[in-house]
Amino acid sequence: MKILFIHALADPALGGGAEEIVWSQMRGLRDAGHECVLLATSSDGGLRHYEQEGITVWLAGIRNLYWPYHKGRSPHAGLRLLWHTRDSYNPWMQAYLKKVVALEKPDVASLHNLPGWSVASWKTLAHLGVPIVQILHDYYLICAKSTMIRDNRNCVKQCGSCRALRLPHRHLSRLVTGVVGVSNFMLERHQQLGYFKGVYIQEAIHNARDAVQLGLDSAAIIQPHEGLRIGYIGRLDRTKGVESLIAAFLQADISGSELWIAGSGKQDYERHLRDLTSDSRIRLLGRQRPSDFYPQVDVVAVPSLWNDNLPTVVFEAFAFGKPVIGAQRGGIPEMIRDGHNGWLIEPTDIATFSTLLRSLDLHRDKLAAASEAAHTSSAPYINVHAWVERYENLYSEALLAHRRAQVSTR
């Protein structure tokens, strides 16, 4: 098969877990004998392409007010609203998509994060006769901010502005042949809001990462240290709960402990975190390779405030034998067995969070047992062959279903 991947970003260095997952899937399908093409947005104008790892990458210049992935200060609220209004249904990007489909002639399209492309791409592909499989990595289709969180509280339903900005989405979602949630929580949330009614394929598939890409075969040598060393790695953003982690760490006040925070975010938020981390025991490390970071910490925290989809950090930590303290939100509880391979917490309950940290420092046998269980739990998440095979079968099923539907309408 020839599979066209459509995603917001081509470079994982500019994004995060979703970009890594897209590339892991493309590499796996390439190795299984399929041809993969990636179409992503760019800050540069026009349409250009290049080859990377045997995969054709097309970059299309954003046709909106700005490209949203620059690291600088966020645009003001009025400009962001205009951007999201245009991105609700962006017909100006569809000429790029039509040209790439005409040149590449894909058998099936695998759509991932759609900021920049918008759901107009569903209509374009349906018109061109290309079967569509939509992968749900976040809440973009039901929330303009993609997070379903407002004022640090998770939205139970769509607010008025998101209903307006997502007006065509529910109806147009019926155009896809298949939909995959990277967690059961993610898929069910969309279904509850009336999305993908009548869509032939609907299932949840947890993500996976290649052990070599993670660096498991070249992990850094563990440097001895005293006290409990807690790690956070990922995007630096208010919704990720980093401030709750810092507060819990400071309240726990464990002798000899350290908090290592790896990752990057918007410049203004990074400055805000630096203002909070004057304590010498807290280190802001910037972006780190997993193989350099995980071996040096004792436990990893994923204290997301939003209903995080299926953060790759959880199973990456497992792969390195590190248990995870995870928020009891979104898809996180689908990976963590409380008290077995990690612990589930309410991230805003700082007192309970800090008590758990003190307990882990006092009971190192508990930490050691959880580390062993975490390593065992990682097996399905680093079995890329089985993961890719599920998608391979799903894309084949979507292609056959699309062909049958075409025959039945003739």
Side-chain angles (χ1 to χ4, degrees), residues 12-16 20 233 262-264 285-289:
L14 295 173
E20 294 287 357
I233 183 169
S264 63
L285 306 174
R287 295 182 76 99
Q288 297 281 304
R289 292 189 305 176

Side-chain angles (χ1 to χ4, degrees), residues 167-182:
L167 195 59
H169 294 51
R170 184 181 293 105
H171 174 72
L172 290 176
S173 69
R174 301 178 184 185
L175 293 175
V176 310
T177 308
V179 57
V180 176
V182 298

